[in-house]
Amino acid sequence: MTAQTKRVPASLGREEYVEVEKNVKLHVSDLGEGTPVVLIHGWPLSDAMYEYQYQYLIQEGYRVIGITLRGFGKSDKPYGKYDYDVYADDIKVVLDKLNIQNATLGGFSMGGAISIHYTAKYGAAHINKLVLFGAAAPIWSKKEDVDELIAQSRINRPQLLENFGKIFAATETAISPALGAWLGAINLEASPYATTQSLIALRDGDLRTDLGKIKIPTAIFHGTKDKICPFNLAEEMHAGIKGSYIVKFENSGHGLFVEELQKFNSELLSFLKK
């Protein structure tokens, strides 16, 4: 299998489509030059969510690689399994094919849970640091609450996404209407099937045994007002990952990467430089 790639000059960045299994290609944004930072998006976003991290980190001299998971954004949307194992396996193939070494892996929400599982399953292959942004881990929520989301995903996905958007930030006005519309448009690019199947993965995922397998430096970024992944999850991850530390975002809900954009980027840069 070979990566099918559409390239622009290296100084500007590259868009790639990497085949992770027969007839399944993932969209990868590969931008800048320098020490690599690999970013995994949350449900039901795509790597486009990191637009304002890409621009910042490129300016700071980093190579940023955003992987859009199968079923989302510009990646292929096959029928089949959508769970943490499949997602972790896909990330491994992409990093193998791009020959990434000594990267920092960052994941938001479901992407944070997947990043934990990848690190534990593959013994931190290709990476030497981990950073978790509002991660949906080690166990996301009460199963009955997620069951309601799954049911709504099957009959009224636009309403599900609208409801989700209302509790995404610390307050309904914490994210501007323009940014909210931008995020909503990204959400609607997701496959309806993948949207539902990923909710099932979130409901059933239990990463408590994975936490103790993480042996690399780990930072945990979390909004103290998060209504989707409550702050106690950050404390559980911190307790389970030896040597980890928490960065509190006191004015953020779940959307810390845009709610406190400047702090988010500066704290990420500080972690990268440690």
Side-chain angles (χ1 to χ4, degrees), residues 219-246:
I220 299 164
F221 291 14
H222 218 99
T224 61
K225 300 175 182 177
D226 196 326
K227 303 181 192 77
I228 293 170
C229 295
F231 188 76
N232 68 284
L233 295 183
E235 295 170 331
E236 291 177 33
M237 288 183 280
H238 174 53
I241 302 173
K242 187 176 181 180
S244 63
Y245 72 92
I246 296 176

mmCIF file of all heavy atoms in Angstrom, residues 219-246:
data_model
loop_
_atom_site.group_PDB
_atom_site.id
_atom_site.type_symbol
_atom_site.label_atom_id
_atom_site.label_comp_id
_atom_site.label_asym_id
_atom_site.label_seq_id
_atom_site.Cartn_x
_atom_site.Cartn_y
_atom_site.Cartn_z
ATOM 1 N N ALA A 219 0.715 15.862 29.471
ATOM 2 C CA ALA A 219 0.012 17.047 29.966
ATOM 3 C C ALA A 219 -1.475 16.869 29.722
ATOM 4 O O ALA A 219 -1.890 16.312 28.699
ATOM 5 C CB ALA A 219 0.522 18.304 29.270
ATOM 6 N N ILE A 220 -2.275 17.346 30.652
ATOM 7 C CA ILE A 220 -3.723 17.205 30.584
ATOM 8 C C ILE A 220 -4.327 18.607 30.617
ATOM 9 O O ILE A 220 -4.284 19.285 31.641
ATOM 10 C CB ILE A 220 -4.245 16.358 31.762
ATOM 11 C CG1 ILE A 220 -3.642 14.950 31.721
ATOM 12 C CG2 ILE A 220 -5.770 16.299 31.750
ATOM 13 C CD1 ILE A 220 -3.795 14.178 33.014
ATOM 14 N N PHE A 221 -4.842 19.065 29.479
ATOM 15 C CA PHE A 221 -5.496 20.370 29.387
ATOM 16 C C PHE A 221 -7.002 20.140 29.542
ATOM 17 O O PHE A 221 -7.592 19.348 28.806
ATOM 18 C CB PHE A 221 -5.251 21.010 28.015
ATOM 19 C CG PHE A 221 -3.845 21.447 27.734
ATOM 20 C CD1 PHE A 221 -2.768 21.056 28.510
ATOM 21 C CD2 PHE A 221 -3.588 22.284 26.654
ATOM 22 C CE1 PHE A 221 -1.470 21.469 28.232
ATOM 23 C CE2 PHE A 221 -2.305 22.708 26.354
ATOM 24 C CZ PHE A 221 -1.247 22.301 27.146
ATOM 25 N N HIS A 222 -7.643 20.872 30.449
ATOM 26 C CA HIS A 222 -9.065 20.604 30.678
ATOM 27 C C HIS A 222 -9.768 21.852 31.192
ATOM 28 O O HIS A 222 -9.250 22.548 32.077
ATOM 29 C CB HIS A 222 -9.236 19.474 31.698
ATOM 30 C CG HIS A 222 -10.361 18.549 31.391
ATOM 31 N ND1 HIS A 222 -10.192 17.324 30.780
ATOM 32 C CD2 HIS A 222 -11.701 18.662 31.594
ATOM 33 C CE1 HIS A 222 -11.359 16.714 30.638
ATOM 34 N NE2 HIS A 222 -12.295 17.524 31.123
ATOM 35 N N GLY A 223 -10.943 22.127 30.631
ATOM 36 C CA GLY A 223 -11.764 23.236 31.102
ATOM 37 C C GLY A 223 -12.458 22.884 32.401
ATOM 38 O O GLY A 223 -13.075 21.824 32.518
ATOM 39 N N THR A 224 -12.375 23.768 33.367
ATOM 40 C CA THR A 224 -12.997 23.491 34.670
ATOM 41 C C THR A 224 -14.520 23.546 34.588
ATOM 42 O O THR A 224 -15.200 23.028 35.475
ATOM 43 C CB THR A 224 -12.501 24.477 35.734
ATOM 44 O OG1 THR A 224 -12.846 25.812 35.349
ATOM 45 C CG2 THR A 224 -10.997 24.369 35.928
ATOM 46 N N LYS A 225 -15.062 24.164 33.531
ATOM 47 C CA LYS A 225 -16.514 24.289 33.368
ATOM 48 C C LYS A 225 -17.041 23.363 32.277
ATOM 49 O O LYS A 225 -18.129 23.586 31.740
ATOM 50 C CB LYS A 225 -16.865 25.747 33.058
ATOM 51 C CG LYS A 225 -16.435 26.719 34.163
ATOM 52 C CD LYS A 225 -16.675 28.169 33.783
ATOM 53 C CE LYS A 225 -16.182 29.106 34.887
ATOM 54 N NZ LYS A 225 -16.343 30.546 34.514
ATOM 55 N N ASP A 226 -16.293 22.326 31.977
ATOM 56 C CA ASP A 226 -16.664 21.394 30.911
ATOM 57 C C ASP A 226 -17.924 20.627 31.303
ATOM 58 O O ASP A 226 -17.944 19.919 32.304
ATOM 59 C CB ASP A 226 -15.498 20.428 30.658
ATOM 60 C CG ASP A 226 -15.607 19.677 29.336
ATOM 61 O OD1 ASP A 226 -16.742 19.370 28.925
ATOM 62 O OD2 ASP A 226 -14.557 19.386 28.741
ATOM 63 N N LYS A 227 -18.969 20.755 30.482
ATOM 64 C CA LYS A 227 -20.229 20.050 30.737
ATOM 65 C C LYS A 227 -20.290 18.718 30.003
ATOM 66 O O LYS A 227 -21.178 17.900 30.259
ATOM 67 C CB LYS A 227 -21.414 20.912 30.289
ATOM 68 C CG LYS A 227 -21.490 22.292 30.923
ATOM 69 C CD LYS A 227 -22.719 23.044 30.408
ATOM 70 C CE LYS A 227 -22.690 24.516 30.785
ATOM 71 N NZ LYS A 227 -21.759 25.284 29.938
ATOM 72 N N ILE A 228 -19.380 18.489 29.060
ATOM 73 C CA ILE A 228 -19.391 17.271 28.246
ATOM 74 C C ILE A 228 -18.446 16.232 28.830
ATOM 75 O O ILE A 228 -18.808 15.061 29.002
ATOM 76 C CB ILE A 228 -19.033 17.613 26.792
ATOM 77 C CG1 ILE A 228 -20.149 18.476 26.175
ATOM 78 C CG2 ILE A 228 -18.836 16.337 25.965
ATOM 79 C CD1 ILE A 228 -19.821 19.081 24.845
ATOM 80 N N CYS A 229 -17.226 16.644 29.129
ATOM 81 C CA CYS A 229 -16.243 15.797 29.810
ATOM 82 C C CYS A 229 -15.859 16.502 31.106
ATOM 83 O O CYS A 229 -14.917 17.313 31.120
ATOM 84 C CB CYS A 229 -15.010 15.575 28.928
ATOM 85 S SG CYS A 229 -15.331 14.650 27.423
ATOM 86 N N PRO A 230 -16.583 16.250 32.184
ATOM 87 C CA PRO A 230 -16.383 17.000 33.422
ATOM 88 C C PRO A 230 -14.938 16.956 33.916
ATOM 89 O O PRO A 230 -14.187 16.019 33.612
ATOM 90 C CB PRO A 230 -17.325 16.303 34.404
ATOM 91 C CG PRO A 230 -18.367 15.672 33.543
ATOM 92 C CD PRO A 230 -17.657 15.256 32.289
ATOM 93 N N PHE A 231 -14.573 17.979 34.685
ATOM 94 C CA PHE A 231 -13.188 18.141 35.109
ATOM 95 C C PHE A 231 -12.673 16.961 35.941
ATOM 96 O O PHE A 231 -11.475 16.693 35.960
ATOM 97 C CB PHE A 231 -13.024 19.445 35.895
ATOM 98 C CG PHE A 231 -11.592 19.776 36.188
ATOM 99 C CD1 PHE A 231 -10.771 20.287 35.194
ATOM 100 C CD2 PHE A 231 -11.053 19.544 37.445
ATOM 101 C CE1 PHE A 231 -9.438 20.575 35.449
ATOM 102 C CE2 PHE A 231 -9.730 19.829 37.708
ATOM 103 C CZ PHE A 231 -8.914 20.348 36.704
ATOM 104 N N ASN A 232 -13.583 16.243 36.585
ATOM 105 C CA ASN A 232 -13.119 15.088 37.373
ATOM 106 C C ASN A 232 -12.436 14.032 36.503
ATOM 107 O O ASN A 232 -11.607 13.251 36.986
ATOM 108 C CB ASN A 232 -14.272 14.451 38.155
ATOM 109 C CG ASN A 232 -15.288 13.773 37.265
ATOM 110 O OD1 ASN A 232 -16.108 14.446 36.626
ATOM 111 N ND2 ASN A 232 -15.262 12.452 37.216
ATOM 112 N N LEU A 233 -12.750 14.015 35.197
ATOM 113 C CA LEU A 233 -12.055 13.090 34.293
ATOM 114 C C LEU A 233 -10.570 13.448 34.201
ATOM 115 O O LEU A 233 -9.711 12.556 34.147
ATOM 116 C CB LEU A 233 -12.685 13.120 32.901
ATOM 117 C CG LEU A 233 -14.125 12.617 32.779
ATOM 118 C CD1 LEU A 233 -14.567 12.641 31.319
ATOM 119 C CD2 LEU A 233 -14.277 11.221 33.357
ATOM 120 N N ALA A 234 -10.267 14.741 34.180
ATOM 121 C CA ALA A 234 -8.861 15.168 34.164
ATOM 122 C C ALA A 234 -8.147 14.675 35.416
ATOM 123 O O ALA A 234 -6.995 14.212 35.345
ATOM 124 C CB ALA A 234 -8.779 16.685 34.059
ATOM 125 N N GLU A 235 -8.821 14.753 36.534
ATOM 126 C CA GLU A 235 -8.211 14.298 37.797
ATOM 127 C C GLU A 235 -7.993 12.792 37.787
ATOM 128 O O GLU A 235 -6.971 12.296 38.295
ATOM 129 C CB GLU A 235 -9.100 14.731 38.961
ATOM 130 C CG GLU A 235 -9.177 16.243 39.104
ATOM 131 C CD GLU A 235 -10.226 16.707 40.097
ATOM 132 O OE1 GLU A 235 -11.247 15.997 40.271
ATOM 133 O OE2 GLU A 235 -10.040 17.778 40.687
ATOM 134 N N GLU A 236 -8.924 12.050 37.186
ATOM 135 C CA GLU A 236 -8.761 10.599 37.086
ATOM 136 C C GLU A 236 -7.590 10.245 36.171
ATOM 137 O O GLU A 236 -6.805 9.332 36.472
ATOM 138 C CB GLU A 236 -10.046 9.956 36.568
ATOM 139 C CG GLU A 236 -11.207 10.000 37.554
ATOM 140 C CD GLU A 236 -12.472 9.406 36.971
ATOM 141 O OE1 GLU A 236 -12.375 8.459 36.159
ATOM 142 O OE2 GLU A 236 -13.570 9.894 37.312
ATOM 143 N N MET A 237 -7.473 10.959 35.052
ATOM 144 C CA MET A 237 -6.342 10.705 34.157
ATOM 145 C C MET A 237 -5.020 11.045 34.832
ATOM 146 O O MET A 237 -4.040 10.296 34.718
ATOM 147 C CB MET A 237 -6.513 11.511 32.856
ATOM 148 C CG MET A 237 -7.603 10.972 31.942
ATOM 149 S SD MET A 237 -7.730 11.876 30.379
ATOM 150 C CE MET A 237 -8.663 13.324 30.896
ATOM 151 N N HIS A 238 -5.001 12.153 35.540
ATOM 152 C CA HIS A 238 -3.787 12.568 36.250
ATOM 153 C C HIS A 238 -3.376 11.523 37.285
ATOM 154 O O HIS A 238 -2.192 11.179 37.413
ATOM 155 C CB HIS A 238 -4.040 13.922 36.923
ATOM 156 C CG HIS A 238 -2.940 14.390 37.804
ATOM 157 N ND1 HIS A 238 -1.619 14.474 37.397
ATOM 158 C CD2 HIS A 238 -2.950 14.797 39.098
ATOM 159 C CE1 HIS A 238 -0.883 14.933 38.392
ATOM 160 N NE2 HIS A 238 -1.667 15.124 39.439
ATOM 161 N N ALA A 239 -4.365 10.984 37.998
ATOM 162 C CA ALA A 239 -4.068 9.963 39.017
ATOM 163 C C ALA A 239 -3.551 8.680 38.373
ATOM 164 O O ALA A 239 -2.723 7.976 38.967
ATOM 165 C CB ALA A 239 -5.328 9.672 39.838
ATOM 166 N N GLY A 240 -4.010 8.372 37.164
ATOM 167 C CA GLY A 240 -3.637 7.111 36.524
ATOM 168 C C GLY A 240 -2.380 7.164 35.679
ATOM 169 O O GLY A 240 -1.776 6.122 35.407
ATOM 170 N N ILE A 241 -1.972 8.365 35.251
ATOM 171 C CA ILE A 241 -0.793 8.507 34.394
ATOM 172 C C ILE A 241 0.344 9.083 35.226
ATOM 173 O O ILE A 241 0.342 10.272 35.561
ATOM 174 C CB ILE A 241 -1.078 9.397 33.168
ATOM 175 C CG1 ILE A 241 -2.236 8.827 32.345
ATOM 176 C CG2 ILE A 241 0.178 9.528 32.305
ATOM 177 C CD1 ILE A 241 -2.691 9.719 31.204
ATOM 178 N N LYS A 242 1.293 8.276 35.533
ATOM 179 C CA LYS A 242 2.394 8.683 36.409
ATOM 180 C C LYS A 242 3.172 9.841 35.800
ATOM 181 O O LYS A 242 3.545 9.815 34.629
ATOM 182 C CB LYS A 242 3.329 7.494 36.650
ATOM 183 C CG LYS A 242 4.413 7.766 37.685
ATOM 184 C CD LYS A 242 5.237 6.519 37.947
ATOM 185 C CE LYS A 242 6.314 6.785 38.991
ATOM 186 N NZ LYS A 242 7.129 5.572 39.265
ATOM 187 N N GLY A 243 3.403 10.862 36.616
ATOM 188 C CA GLY A 243 4.209 12.001 36.177
ATOM 189 C C GLY A 243 3.465 13.017 35.334
ATOM 190 O O GLY A 243 4.063 13.997 34.881
ATOM 191 N N SER A 244 2.168 12.817 35.111
ATOM 192 C CA SER A 244 1.387 13.764 34.317
ATOM 193 C C SER A 244 1.097 15.032 35.114
ATOM 194 O O SER A 244 1.249 15.061 36.339
ATOM 195 C CB SER A 244 0.076 13.122 33.872
ATOM 196 O OG SER A 244 -0.737 12.802 34.996
ATOM 197 N N TYR A 245 0.695 16.076 34.416
ATOM 198 C CA TYR A 245 0.271 17.286 35.109
ATOM 199 C C TYR A 245 -0.946 17.872 34.404
ATOM 200 O O TYR A 245 -1.175 17.629 33.223
ATOM 201 C CB TYR A 245 1.400 18.310 35.219
ATOM 202 C CG TYR A 245 1.801 19.013 33.951
ATOM 203 C CD1 TYR A 245 1.226 20.231 33.582
ATOM 204 C CD2 TYR A 245 2.787 18.481 33.116
ATOM 205 C CE1 TYR A 245 1.619 20.896 32.431
ATOM 206 C CE2 TYR A 245 3.180 19.141 31.955
ATOM 207 C CZ TYR A 245 2.588 20.351 31.615
ATOM 208 O OH TYR A 245 2.973 20.994 30.468
ATOM 209 N N ILE A 246 -1.731 18.639 35.161
ATOM 210 C CA ILE A 246 -2.965 19.241 34.653
ATOM 211 C C ILE A 246 -2.759 20.732 34.433
ATOM 212 O O ILE A 246 -2.180 21.423 35.277
ATOM 213 C CB ILE A 246 -4.133 19.029 35.641
ATOM 214 C CG1 ILE A 246 -4.461 17.533 35.796
ATOM 215 C CG2 ILE A 246 -5.377 19.787 35.177
ATOM 216 C CD1 ILE A 246 -5.535 17.255 36.834
#
